[in-house]
Amino acid sequence: MSRDIVQHAWQEFATHDAGRIAAVFTEDAEWLAPAGNATAVALGGPSHLVGRDTIVRFLAEDFPRFFVSDVSVTFHGFHADGDRVVVEETMTATLANGNHYANDYCFVFELKDGLIHRVREYMDTARGHRMVFGERVTT
């Protein structure tokens, strides 16, 4: 069941529809990505999103403004243990600056009452910086 909830949520994320995305998160949800990750730096935003409204704004408005086209996710695994689901994936896209983006991710979703309460996101931050900003890694 936990796995199904996260798979459904991922489908809702892809719609970029604020109402549909909001429906899968608790009001006090958090999304924690690595500090200084390329997406947060490029958008001038935080790497720790706190609250459903903040997360929804990122997924519905900021994400499609940065990853502008050809967004594709290849899932390598959904692993559920109780209220925790680990998702392994590769995402590719064309960025707003025209660069091609491809990176591997691991997400840990923690559920509460059938909704997403916390997401911990892991990725190769150096690779992300190279694809967004060029060869020089910015901090």
Side-chain angles (χ1 to χ4, degrees):
M1 176 153 171
S2 296
R3 178 186 164 154
D4 295 338
I5 291 168
V6 172
Q7 285 178 319
H8 170 73
W10 215 271
Q11 293 169 346
E12 299 303 315
F13 299 166
T15 69
H16 305 296
D17 179 283
R20 291 174 66 176
I21 295 168
V24 302
F25 287 99
T26 63
E27 188 176 339
D28 60 344
E30 292 181 76
W31 191 302
L32 297 93
N37 73 77
T39 304
V41 171
L43 291 171
S47 56
H48 182 181
L49 305 175
V50 179
R52 176 175 48 212
D53 293 343
T54 303
I55 294 168
V56 168
R57 192 174 314 107
F58 173 79
L59 292 172
E61 298 172 23
D62 296 334
F63 183 94
R65 208 168 31 95
F66 187 66
F67 298 98
V68 294
S69 64
D70 307 318
V71 177
S72 175
V73 175
T74 302
F75 293 104
H76 306 294
F78 280 83
H79 313 280
D81 183 14
D83 283 338
R84 236 171 246 238
V85 180
V86 176
V87 179
E88 298 172 277
E89 68 160 61
T90 299
M91 185 180 80
T92 60
T94 299
L95 301 176
N97 64 9
N99 290 356
H100 174 72
Y101 183 87
N103 211 350
D104 297 317
Y105 291 82
C106 181
F107 296 89
V108 179
F109 288 83
E110 296 175 27
L111 306 178
K112 180 176 165 184
D113 301 324
L115 297 173
I116 298 168
H117 179 63
R118 181 172 291 120
V119 180
R120 286 178 291 143
E121 175 180 347
Y122 302 94
M123 86 227 9
D124 182 339
T125 55
R127 182 177 181 191
H129 272 271
R130 282 192 305 274
M131 283 182 271
V132 173
F133 301 111
E135 286 304 311
R136 193 175 140 216
V137 175
T138 359
T139 54

